[in-house]
Amino acid sequence: MSADTVDLTKVDSAVSGLSSSPPQNAVKGHRRASSSAAGVYNINDLEKEGKELEIAKETQKLNWKLNTSPATLDEKDTLKKFLTIPPVKKIDLHFPLGLEVTARNLKGVTIKDALDAIYKQFKKKADDELELPVLAGFEWDKEESWTRLIVHQKKEGAPSGGKKKNKKAINEDE
């Protein structure tokens, strides 16, 4: 039996030369730079420089219900446009009742990013739970806060064609 035993002091070749701590002269790998696009600003930098924000006017014409997915909107080209000019990496969206959501995109916050952030908050709400279920647009009030937009809502969207009365509504009118 003693002839078959292997000397236990022998060190495995795969482990030899390794210590439990990394070597002192190890070169750190190149850290990836931020993936933000050129021309996209941090909102705090814009405030320091005093640069004015301009909000895309298209948001006022969307007539989008807060609890429906932005993907259901027909204006796909509008969704790709930047929410603000100059484009920013993130912006807070403030609701009059106090709710605040943040839209983020390192390549510049688009209208879709803003709608997605809002939708995430309201997707579980039923239509009758929302007092003002339709987006009316955004307002930037630099006196109140440079870094956030105020979200405006309205009762209902503009009619999308001829109004059709259902039978129940007709019977109630009589």
Side-chain angles (χ1 to χ4, degrees):
M1 191 160 137
S2 62
D4 292 336
T5 58
V6 179
D7 187 10
L8 294 177
T9 58
K10 206 178 212 181
V11 178
D12 187 0
S13 64
V15 183
S16 68
L18 287 181
S19 64
S20 60
S21 61
Q24 295 299 324
N25 60 355
V27 178
K28 294 270 186 207
H30 175 69
R31 186 169 175 178
R32 183 182 297 179
S34 169
S35 60
S36 63
V40 177
Y41 298 90
N42 182 329
I43 187 96
N44 297 324
D45 295 343
L46 289 177
E47 183 177 12
K48 285 176 199 159
E49 295 171 19
K51 275 196 176 172
E52 301 270 325
L53 281 181
E54 192 178 308
I55 303 169
K57 302 261 187 282
E58 292 85 358
T59 58
Q60 297 167 14
K61 300 179 194 118
L62 288 175
N63 285 321
W64 172 68
K65 278 182 127 178
L66 304 182
N67 60 353
T68 57
S69 171
T72 61
L73 283 171
D74 294 333
E75 297 90 358
K76 301 290 184 224
D77 292 338
T78 304
L79 294 178
K80 293 175 187 164
K81 290 185 178 170
F82 289 123
L83 179 63
T84 60
I85 298 168
V88 293
K89 293 177 190 174
K90 76 170 196 162
I91 193 152
D92 295 326
L93 306 171
H94 179 75
F95 286 83
L97 294 176
L99 174 70
E100 195 158 302
V101 295
T102 305
R104 294 181 181 86
N105 186 340
L106 291 174
K107 291 179 171 65
V109 174
T110 62
I111 294 173
K112 183 182 186 318
D113 297 323
L115 298 187
D116 284 340
I118 294 169
Y119 172 62
K120 194 173 180 183
Q121 289 295 320
F122 290 100
K123 65 181 173 187
K124 290 185 172 68
K125 300 256 189 224
D127 286 351
D128 58 351
E129 286 180 76
L130 297 170
E131 200 174 305
L132 300 167
V134 178
L135 177 75
F138 299 100
E139 175 193 353
W140 179 61
D141 186 2
K142 66 181 175 189
E143 274 76 40
E144 188 180 316
S145 172
W146 198 284
T147 59
R148 73 181 181 201
L149 300 179
I150 300 163
V151 180
H152 289 287
Q153 298 159 268
K154 55 188 177 182
K155 267 263 192 271
E156 54 191 54
S160 57
K163 269 192 165 182
K164 291 183 181 176
K165 278 193 171 181
N166 59 15
K167 287 181 182 174
K168 204 179 217 180
I170 293 170
N171 290 340
E172 287 172 3
D173 288 346
E174 292 172 355

